[in-house]
Amino acid sequence: MVALASIALALLAVFHSHVSAQNLKDLANAKGRYFGGAFDLIEISNNANVNLLKQHVSMTTPENAMKWDATEPNPNQFVFGNADKTVAFAKANGIVVRGHTLVWHSQLPSWVTGGKWNNQTLTAAMTNHITKVMTHFKGQLVHWDVCNEIFNDDGTLRTSVFSQFIGEAFVSIAFRTARQVDPSVKLFINDFNLDSTNAKSAAMVNLVRRLRSQGVPIDGIGSQAHLIVGGISPTFKQALNNFAALGVQVALTELDIRMTLPASTAKLQQQQKDYQAVVSACMTIANCVGVEIWSMSDKFSWIPGVFQGQGAALPFDENFQKKAAFTGIVSALNGASTKAAFPNVGVKAAAGNNLIAQKTVTKTVKKTTTRTRTKTRAGAIQIGHP
Ligand code: XIL
């Protein structure tokens, strides 16, 4: 009887580990990383999509709800309803949140883009925006994209209302303000086309190195990774490595890999390889703390609306079914890796603000695997800068 029971238990354990091995967040977590999936509110009104988020995601980002046009549509009038709903959903489901984004040239209200500014008045409006938005979410988020897309592809500073009136100084002012408002959150600079050792990623390396040497609190570099099937650069990983070498955290923040529609088996197989390559790159860089896809399913992807004739960019299809790309991600998460220091996000988050300092986690990870497990299971999602 006892023997039978223990065989049954053993079988159950095998079955359970097999099932949970398919959860992207658990696989990532076992390697000290998060797996993320972004959403807009419409995406959590869909049960199938909610199930995907619950099953696979330990990090999320509101696709639009925390942007300037959404949070401060009129001067000094703040609106947080949709962003709050995002955070509430995340909390209820043990998911931590990246704030996105405080200072960006796009999705600005017209009072900002069309304002009659000078250096002083725009600096005041920008720091007020950062202060009010970050104060509202203080202690509730793990990352903030403080500045988004500040570079042109040739590595020069993009022309925006901020660079025009404040100059490059808007970047350091934004980060210093952010650190002061909420010292518990990791501060990221985020951009696209950082997917090879190109002029833009070189400019990112130079700027972040220079600003950090001046004491500007940049904790992480986000590479959006909006990619094209068959087009992953052989220097994709080197570019990420160059960021990591600065001693900052690195993350793939908005991953999707689009193709020209209609999808075909050959394109979907290539997409599987591409997802595997890109996620593997992160897995083998100790400072690369996680990967987030920009929506879960092709049903809700932003791609077809913006890139005409393109789509099928995500690992789940329009019917929320796994594509070959999903297997590519699983292979990468199970494959060669260097343990990262991102804590056990997602496991205890639902219980509330179970934060421990990043320093503690890093220390723990350096000890034995067993110790790490015990520590993370016992408690904690992270997050605070050292
Ligand atoms: C996109 C959203 O997904 C869309 O819903 C919206 O219409 C436009 O913005 N880089 C970013 C994201 O930093 O904020 C963008 O998100 C995609 C590109």
Side-chain angles (χ1 to χ4, degrees):
M1 214 30 203
V2 176
L4 263 182
S6 52
I7 290 169
L9 273 178
L11 280 174
L12 205 65
V14 170
F15 177 68
H16 183 258
S17 70
H18 177 73
V19 171
S20 61
Q22 292 297 305
N23 291 343
L24 301 180
K25 64 179 175 186
D26 294 340
L27 296 179
N29 182 60
K31 307 288 174 68
R33 293 179 174 80
Y34 63 83
F35 192 85
F39 66 84
D40 261 338
L41 288 184
I42 183 150
E43 297 170 56
I44 52 167
S45 66
N46 179 301
N47 281 338
N49 204 60
V50 166
N51 288 338
L52 291 183
L53 286 163
K54 285 184 181 174
Q55 189 177 354
H56 294 294
V57 157
S58 49
M59 171 76 91
T60 195
T61 304
E63 272 185 62
N64 292 290
M66 289 186 188
K67 291 173 178 174
W68 196 316
D69 60 354
T71 52
E72 194 187 1
N74 298 300
N76 207 29
Q77 268 181 24
F78 289 86
V79 181
F80 293 117
N82 288 347
D84 284 345
K85 285 182 192 155
T86 307
V87 174
F89 174 89
K91 274 192 186 159
N93 291 291
I95 299 170
V96 294
V97 181
R98 302 188 82 249
H100 174 81
T101 175
L102 294 165
V103 183
W104 186 28
H105 67 278
S106 186
Q107 292 182 261
L108 286 172
S110 56
W111 69 267
V112 177
T113 43
K116 291 197 182 359
W117 302 110
N118 60 37
N119 184 326
Q120 214 186 352
T121 55
L122 186 58
T123 300
M126 182 184 80
T127 53
N128 183 56
H129 180 76
I130 294 169
T131 303
K132 298 281 170 62
V133 175
M134 285 189 74
T135 300
H136 182 81
F137 294 106
K138 190 166 176 171
Q140 301 189 69
L141 310 181
V142 298
H143 293 172
W144 255 117
D145 285 332
V146 176
C147 291
N148 194 33
E149 303 184 350
I150 68 161
F151 291 111
N152 295 311
D153 280 349
D154 67 2
T156 56
L157 194 66
R158 179 194 290 277
T159 301
S160 69
V161 69
F162 305 107
S163 65
Q164 270 174 323
F165 287 98
I166 310 175
E168 189 203 273
F170 85 84
V171 179
S172 44
I173 296 169
F175 276 92
R176 288 187 199 277
T177 305
R179 171 61 26 97
Q180 247 177 352
V181 178
D182 185 356
S184 78
V185 61
K186 292 274 180 197
L187 305 179
F188 273 66
I189 184 165
N190 194 54
D191 217 318
F192 64 100
N193 285 355
L194 300 176
D195 312 305
S196 65
T197 52
N198 54 24
K200 193 177 195 173
S201 56
M204 178 66 92
V205 168
N206 291 335
L207 182 78
V208 171
R209 182 189 292 123
R210 181 160 50 83
L211 293 187
R212 276 169 58 90
S213 76
Q214 295 163 13
V216 178
I218 301 178
D219 303 313
I221 300 178
S223 174
Q224 292 180 9
H226 293 296
L227 300 164
I228 298 173
V229 164
I232 311 303
S233 164
T235 62
F236 183 87
K237 183 176 168 186
Q238 185 59 51
L240 275 188
N241 245 329
N242 293 348
F243 300 150
L246 297 168
V248 294
Q249 291 193 350
V250 171
L252 301 179
T253 52
E254 303 181 12
L255 176 62
D256 50 28
I257 313 184
R258 61 188 184 265
M259 62 182 71
T260 301
L261 296 173
S264 66
T265 306
K267 289 182 213 172
L268 292 167
Q269 281 170 354
Q270 180 62 45
Q271 188 182 47
Q272 172 177 353
K273 289 186 192 148
D274 294 342
Y275 263 101
Q276 184 170 345
V278 164
V279 176
S280 294
C282 176
M283 297 302 288
T284 47
I285 297 174
N287 284 5
C288 190
V289 292
V291 172
E292 178 162 349
I293 50 177
W294 205 240
S295 286
M296 299 304 288
S297 136
D298 291 337
K299 173 94 174 167
F300 294 117
S301 169
W302 73 303
I303 293 289
V306 174
F307 300 90
Q308 242 206 339
Q310 308 271 303
L314 292 163
F316 298 93
D317 70 16
E318 300 240 348
N319 298 312
F320 309 96
Q321 301 302 305
K322 291 171 185 165
K323 294 158 63 178
F326 178 86
T327 310
I329 298 174
V330 170
S331 306
L333 295 176
N334 278 327
S337 76
T338 313
K339 188 118 182 164
F342 202 83
N344 199 13
V345 291
V347 173
K348 291 283 286 181
N353 261 347
N354 212 347
L355 306 187
I356 58 169
Q358 184 83 21
K359 225 194 241 162
T360 320
V361 173
T362 313
K363 243 193 250 152
T364 318
V365 168
K366 279 190 195 132
K367 293 181 187 161
T368 67
T369 318
T370 336
R371 286 287 299 270
T372 307
R373 275 239 171 90
T374 321
K375 184 78 191 173
T376 49
R377 291 256 179 259
I381 59 165
Q382 60 92 210
I383 304 320
H385 64 95

